[in-house]
Amino acid sequence: MKDMRDFIAKCEEEGVLHRITAEVDWDLELSHIAKLNEEQSGPALLFENVKDYDSPVIISVCTTVERLAIIMGMPRESSLFDLYDAWAKKGETKIPPKWVDNAPCKENIIMGDDVDLFKFPVPKFYPLDGGRFYGTAHFIISKDPDSGWVNLGTYRSQLLAKNKIGTQFIKGKHADIMLKKYQKMGKPMPVASIVGCDPILFILGASRLSAFESEYDVAGAIRGEPIEVIKGETVDLPIPAWAEIVVEGEVDAEKFMEEGPFGEYTGYYSGVGTDPRNYIDVKCVTHRNNPIMWGTTVGRAVTDTHMTMALSYGATLWQQLLNMKIPGLKAVYCPPEASGRFMAIISMTQMYPGHVDQVLTAAISTEMGAYGLKTVIVVDDDIEPWDIPRVMYALSFRFQPNRSQVIKRGRSTPLDPSLPINAREITGRLLMDATIPYEWKDKPIPIELDPEMVKRVKARWSEFGL
Ligand SMILES: Cc1cc2nc3c(=O)[nH]c(=O)nc-3n(C[C@H](O)[C@H](O)[C@H](O)COP(=O)(O)O)c2cc1C
Ligand SMILES: [Mn+2]
């Protein structure tokens, strides 16, 4: 799969994409159809007749585990954990991108004053959103001025003017770290925003790889071949050759525009009004003929964004835990209902006293877990971490508050609505031990049915009228 068009073809073959030919308004109508469709685990939607526009919009790409499996090139019936495990293993080798000289993303090149982003069918998602959001299922490419490390990060972009889109690089995100270096050098940071491409690139844009790791190299590793890239027209950055729409420009750390709010994946609006934020001053746009605009729904779980995060965050957490080489780890589950990032459930085989405590603290020490992960639950290996009724059982009959811990301080996400709106930088964490302690000599004796009696009862079953 090299681009969005391959994904569409594959989904049509598998019967999980639906084309909507009726006219639909980009103003709330499109996003509301998508949200309601996602609540019933519907197909990916390709809107071919968007009011005021000639080009299509695709949405609900990542909403089901089945479609995530299609994107990863895995069997349709794979579980989320199968995808984590494949990602963790393939992602260990890195395959850097390959430069090409000609690319479909250059079919149309628009420079300077001719740039007009209102020519693309950009949706407005929720009633109190500050405007239309050009960048939801997109990512921003930037380069570290010291090391040349190329980063892909998904940071929302509001359409602010015909040649300006907002950015919201939350503190410590890789683009934020880079932007601060450009600021010290007294220069704006060259960037490119990519819309519509091999979906694995967007999922990687939203994943929390460690600093100095390029999302391109991991995408290549998952694909088993390098991602094809081409130089930008005005920026010295590698651009995915098969992208639908490429916005090139620069971000000046000292220039701001009013941005937001946006109906976020927490189910609440980010903030209460607008906030001054940096923006991309667009110098050039290149796009394919009949470019496909791509959006992702946010809002209350579970939507497309939650599924994207459940894969990207869960897979990175699993990979980073495996890299710690702790014995006994069996599986991890990051529930989509928690957006794959507020809660992690880990199942493990205990091998020594204190082993569970090691795993609980390891999870919040990974790059992934050190950011916003609030609750970690460890269960014994007889329970699958995605089997929520069994997890509830363990939380009732094995969990003991006195063997669990509250960590008072850790890095939070400023979007967590459980914290006061002006104090969201630091979060607490809860580490829940829902296992039977390894060191207990006398363990509770589980009730097993008598096998002979089961046989006898089954033989007589019809006699009981059951
Ligand atoms: C749809 C969507 C929108 C997102 N918006 C933002 C955002 O506005 N700001 C931000 O810092 N992170 C945002 N994220 C989360 C980042 O993509 C994620 O933290 C990622 O790790 C950032 O890349 P980096 O690790 O290379 O900095 C968003 C994720 C998704 C899926
Ligand atoms: Mn990164």
Side-chain angles (χ1 to χ4, degrees):
M1 191 176 300
K2 64 182 180 320
D3 63 4
M4 181 51 82
R5 297 175 194 213
D6 286 346
F7 173 79
I8 290 171
K10 181 77 184 153
C11 285
E12 283 202 304
E13 208 180 291
E14 303 274 349
V16 291
L17 180 127
H18 180 68
R19 289 174 190 263
I20 296 187
T21 51
E23 189 185 80
V24 168
D25 199 333
W26 51 265
D27 189 359
L28 299 182
E29 192 174 30
L30 188 152
S31 63
H32 284 54
I33 296 168
K35 172 78 173 114
L36 294 173
N37 168 60
E38 289 169 18
E39 283 173 7
Q40 54 190 48
S41 297
L45 300 178
L46 186 61
F47 291 91
E48 297 185 315
N49 184 1
V50 180
K51 187 170 166 258
D52 310 327
Y53 292 93
D54 296 329
S55 57
V57 177
I58 192 162
I59 203 158
S60 307
V61 164
C62 301
T63 319
T64 61
V65 177
E66 190 180 31
R67 288 204 287 285
L68 293 173
I70 290 174
I71 293 169
M72 284 198 57
M74 297 275 292
R76 272 181 80 151
E77 59 283 1
S78 305
S79 70
L80 204 47
F81 180 69
D82 292 335
L83 304 185
Y84 293 175
D85 207 41
W87 174 312
K89 280 162 192 160
K90 288 184 187 166
E92 283 302 288
T93 48
K94 307 276 180 274
I95 302 185
K98 176 175 124 192
W99 290 95
V100 296
D101 297 327
N102 293 298
C105 69
K106 306 282 190 184
E107 279 169 355
N108 303 273
I109 300 179
I110 304 149
M111 302 286 284
D113 280 350
D114 294 332
V115 167
D116 183 2
L117 294 172
F118 286 98
K119 290 198 169 140
F120 299 105
V122 177
K124 180 174 174 185
F125 288 84
Y126 289 109
L128 301 185
D129 282 359
R132 300 165 74 174
F133 276 80
Y134 174 86
T136 51
H138 84 147
F139 53 88
I140 292 177
I141 307 175
S142 55
K143 193 176 0 182
D144 183 39
D146 298 333
S147 62
W149 154 46
V150 172
N151 192 69
L152 274 50
T154 296
Y155 318 100
R156 78 178 190 214
S157 278
Q158 184 178 345
L159 184 53
L160 297 173
K162 78 184 186 95
N163 61 349
K164 288 182 178 54
I165 55 175
T167 59
Q168 185 199 216
F169 305 153
I170 290 170
K171 278 180 208 153
K173 297 291 178 85
H174 296 153
D176 172 63
I177 293 174
M178 292 176 178
L179 182 63
K180 289 194 168 126
K181 293 189 185 179
Y182 283 95
Q183 184 177 19
K184 265 202 180 142
M185 293 158 60
K187 287 186 185 165
M189 176 166 82
V191 293
S193 143
I194 308 302
V195 165
C197 54
D198 176 346
I200 199 71
L201 286 174
F202 161 61
I203 295 176
L204 272 152
S207 72
R208 293 197 47 76
L209 304 192
S210 302
F212 307 113
E213 251 188 313
S214 180
E215 285 79 2
Y216 268 134
D217 300 358
V218 178
I222 290 175
R223 282 279 167 264
E225 58 183 2
I227 304 295
E228 290 187 354
V229 293
I230 188 162
K231 275 229 153 42
E233 296 300 302
T234 61
V235 288
D236 182 19
L237 294 168
I239 307 293
W242 299 85
E244 298 290 331
I245 312 170
V246 180
V247 162
E248 300 181 11
E250 48 188 43
V251 182
D252 184 331
E254 294 178 5
K255 288 192 183 155
F256 299 89
M257 285 178 85
E258 287 299 313
E259 190 264 2
F262 181 51
E264 274 291 350
Y265 71 93
T266 57
Y268 297 91
Y269 287 93
S270 58
V272 280
T274 62
D275 290 293
R277 292 197 209 281
N278 299 127
Y279 59 88
I280 302 178
D281 197 2
V282 183
K283 307 288 185 198
C284 168
V285 173
T286 77
H287 67 86
R288 293 175 74 164
N289 296 332
N290 195 29
I292 304 166
M293 182 77 208
W294 182 10
T296 179
T297 51
V298 281
R300 204 167 80 193
V302 175
T303 69
D304 197 61
T305 291
H306 304 94
M307 292 307 293
T308 305
M309 290 181 163
L311 172 58
S312 65
Y313 288 3
T316 359
L317 179 63
W318 182 235
Q319 185 175 9
Q320 289 168 354
L321 278 172
L322 290 179
N323 278 332
M324 289 181 167
K325 314 264 184 241
I326 305 167
L329 295 174
K330 193 180 162 211
V332 66
Y333 184 61
C334 297
E337 292 76 7
S339 207
R341 58 95 41 88
F342 286 109
M343 177 181 283
I345 307 165
I346 302 168
S347 121
M348 63 176 286
T349 307
Q350 297 184 63
M351 296 174 174
Y352 41 85
H355 195 174
V356 171
D357 307 273
Q358 180 187 8
V359 171
L360 284 166
T361 49
I364 58 164
S365 304
T366 57
E367 164 71 18
M368 176 58 228
Y371 177 58
L373 177 58
K374 276 195 296 192
T375 307
V376 188
I377 302 168
V378 169
V379 294
D380 286 306
D381 60 8
D382 61 329
I383 295 178
E384 310 281 21
W386 47 86
D387 186 349
I388 301 302
R390 291 284 290 154
V391 172
M392 287 296 141
Y393 165 86
L395 282 173
S396 308
F397 301 107
R398 296 181 187 174
F399 166 71
Q400 171 48 239
N402 292 333
R403 285 194 299 276
S404 299
Q405 299 181 59
V406 174
I407 308 284
K408 290 272 171 62
R409 288 176 57 84
R411 182 182 174 199
S412 178
T413 160
L415 295 176
D416 185 349
S418 73
L419 289 163
I421 215 153
N422 55 355
R424 288 185 175 170
E425 295 197 319
I426 298 292
T427 182
R429 307 194 199 281
L430 178 57
L431 308 183
M432 302 178 87
D433 176 348
T435 67
I436 299 169
Y438 178 86
E439 63 276 16
W440 279 5
K441 279 204 186 67
D442 297 321
K443 295 202 165 70
I445 301 162
I447 304 167
E448 309 277 3
L449 295 188
D450 179 75
E452 280 310 307
M453 186 51 73
V454 168
K455 236 192 241 167
R456 190 183 135 131
V457 164
K458 282 199 170 158
R460 294 189 60 199
W461 201 247
S462 59
E463 269 183 63
F464 309 133
L466 291 170

PDB file of all heavy atoms in Angstrom, residues 149 151-152 174 207 209-210 213 215, ligand 2:
ATOM      1  N   TRP A 149      17.614  14.996  12.131  1.00  0.00           N
ATOM      2  CA  TRP A 149      16.503  14.063  12.411  1.00  0.00           C
ATOM      3  C   TRP A 149      15.197  14.635  11.853  1.00  0.00           C
ATOM      4  O   TRP A 149      14.844  15.771  12.111  1.00  0.00           O
ATOM      5  CB  TRP A 149      16.451  13.844  13.928  1.00  0.00           C
ATOM      6  CG  TRP A 149      15.132  13.464  14.522  1.00  0.00           C
ATOM      7  CD1 TRP A 149      14.259  12.522  14.077  1.00  0.00           C
ATOM      8  CD2 TRP A 149      14.535  14.030  15.712  1.00  0.00           C
ATOM      9  NE1 TRP A 149      13.156  12.455  14.912  1.00  0.00           N
ATOM     10  CE2 TRP A 149      13.302  13.368  15.922  1.00  0.00           C
ATOM     11  CE3 TRP A 149      14.930  15.012  16.621  1.00  0.00           C
ATOM     12  CZ2 TRP A 149      12.468  13.662  16.993  1.00  0.00           C
ATOM     13  CZ3 TRP A 149      14.102  15.308  17.696  1.00  0.00           C
ATOM     14  CH2 TRP A 149      12.873  14.631  17.879  1.00  0.00           C
ATOM     15  N   ASN A 151      11.180  14.563  11.693  1.00  0.00           N
ATOM     16  CA  ASN A 151      10.044  14.141  12.518  1.00  0.00           C
ATOM     17  C   ASN A 151       8.722  14.298  11.784  1.00  0.00           C
ATOM     18  O   ASN A 151       8.528  15.247  11.033  1.00  0.00           O
ATOM     19  CB  ASN A 151       9.983  14.976  13.801  1.00  0.00           C
ATOM     20  CG  ASN A 151       9.010  14.395  14.800  1.00  0.00           C
ATOM     21  OD1 ASN A 151       9.265  13.327  15.360  1.00  0.00           O
ATOM     22  ND2 ASN A 151       7.879  15.048  15.009  1.00  0.00           N
ATOM     23  N   LEU A 152       7.820  13.337  12.000  1.00  0.00           N
ATOM     24  CA  LEU A 152       6.440  13.424  11.507  1.00  0.00           C
ATOM     25  C   LEU A 152       5.544  13.466  12.733  1.00  0.00           C
ATOM     26  O   LEU A 152       5.585  12.535  13.551  1.00  0.00           O
ATOM     27  CB  LEU A 152       6.081  12.171  10.691  1.00  0.00           C
ATOM     28  CG  LEU A 152       6.412  12.112   9.189  1.00  0.00           C
ATOM     29  CD1 LEU A 152       7.837  12.495   8.895  1.00  0.00           C
ATOM     30  CD2 LEU A 152       6.115  10.727   8.642  1.00  0.00           C
ATOM     31  N   HIS A 174       7.850  16.683  19.656  1.00  0.00           N
ATOM     32  CA  HIS A 174       9.094  16.783  18.902  1.00  0.00           C
ATOM     33  C   HIS A 174       9.186  18.058  18.049  1.00  0.00           C
ATOM     34  O   HIS A 174      10.241  18.676  17.961  1.00  0.00           O
ATOM     35  CB  HIS A 174       9.310  15.507  18.085  1.00  0.00           C
ATOM     36  CG  HIS A 174       9.499  14.312  18.982  1.00  0.00           C
ATOM     37  ND1 HIS A 174       9.199  13.029  18.619  1.00  0.00           N
ATOM     38  CD2 HIS A 174       9.934  14.241  20.272  1.00  0.00           C
ATOM     39  CE1 HIS A 174       9.460  12.207  19.628  1.00  0.00           C
ATOM     40  NE2 HIS A 174       9.893  12.926  20.649  1.00  0.00           N
ATOM     41  N   SER A 207       1.934   8.693  16.645  1.00  0.00           N
ATOM     42  CA  SER A 207       2.473   7.759  17.646  1.00  0.00           C
ATOM     43  C   SER A 207       3.668   8.370  18.361  1.00  0.00           C
ATOM     44  O   SER A 207       4.350   9.235  17.826  1.00  0.00           O
ATOM     45  CB  SER A 207       2.866   6.440  16.979  1.00  0.00           C
ATOM     46  OG  SER A 207       4.011   6.631  16.208  1.00  0.00           O
ATOM     47  N   LEU A 209       6.866   7.825  19.224  1.00  0.00           N
ATOM     48  CA  LEU A 209       8.211   7.256  19.128  1.00  0.00           C
ATOM     49  C   LEU A 209       9.140   8.121  19.977  1.00  0.00           C
ATOM     50  O   LEU A 209       8.828   9.268  20.272  1.00  0.00           O
ATOM     51  CB  LEU A 209       8.704   7.278  17.679  1.00  0.00           C
ATOM     52  CG  LEU A 209       7.865   6.596  16.598  1.00  0.00           C
ATOM     53  CD1 LEU A 209       8.673   6.478  15.311  1.00  0.00           C
ATOM     54  CD2 LEU A 209       7.397   5.234  17.038  1.00  0.00           C
ATOM     55  N   SER A 210      10.313   7.563  20.299  1.00  0.00           N
ATOM     56  CA  SER A 210      11.273   8.337  21.082  1.00  0.00           C
ATOM     57  C   SER A 210      11.860   9.452  20.223  1.00  0.00           C
ATOM     58  O   SER A 210      11.826   9.383  18.994  1.00  0.00           O
ATOM     59  CB  SER A 210      12.404   7.427  21.549  1.00  0.00           C
ATOM     60  OG  SER A 210      11.863   6.363  22.301  1.00  0.00           O
ATOM     61  N   GLU A 213      14.131   9.464  16.686  1.00  0.00           N
ATOM     62  CA  GLU A 213      13.716   8.364  15.817  1.00  0.00           C
ATOM     63  C   GLU A 213      12.817   8.967  14.750  1.00  0.00           C
ATOM     64  O   GLU A 213      11.892   9.714  15.077  1.00  0.00           O
ATOM     65  CB  GLU A 213      12.876   7.371  16.632  1.00  0.00           C
ATOM     66  CG  GLU A 213      13.563   6.073  16.898  1.00  0.00           C
ATOM     67  CD  GLU A 213      12.606   5.069  17.545  1.00  0.00           C
ATOM     68  OE1 GLU A 213      11.893   5.428  18.506  1.00  0.00           O
ATOM     69  OE2 GLU A 213      12.575   3.947  17.084  1.00  0.00           O
ATOM     70  N   GLU A 215       9.827   8.795  12.192  1.00  0.00           N
ATOM     71  CA  GLU A 215       8.616   8.020  11.912  1.00  0.00           C
ATOM     72  C   GLU A 215       8.702   7.387  10.517  1.00  0.00           C
ATOM     73  O   GLU A 215       8.145   6.317  10.289  1.00  0.00           O
ATOM     74  CB  GLU A 215       7.378   8.921  12.023  1.00  0.00           C
ATOM     75  CG  GLU A 215       6.969   9.282  13.459  1.00  0.00           C
ATOM     76  CD  GLU A 215       7.787  10.387  14.117  1.00  0.00           C
ATOM     77  OE1 GLU A 215       8.699  10.942  13.457  1.00  0.00           O
ATOM     78  OE2 GLU A 215       7.532  10.694  15.303  1.00  0.00           O
TER      79      GLU A 215
HETATM   80 MN    MN B   2       8.422  11.997  16.788  1.00  0.00          MN
END
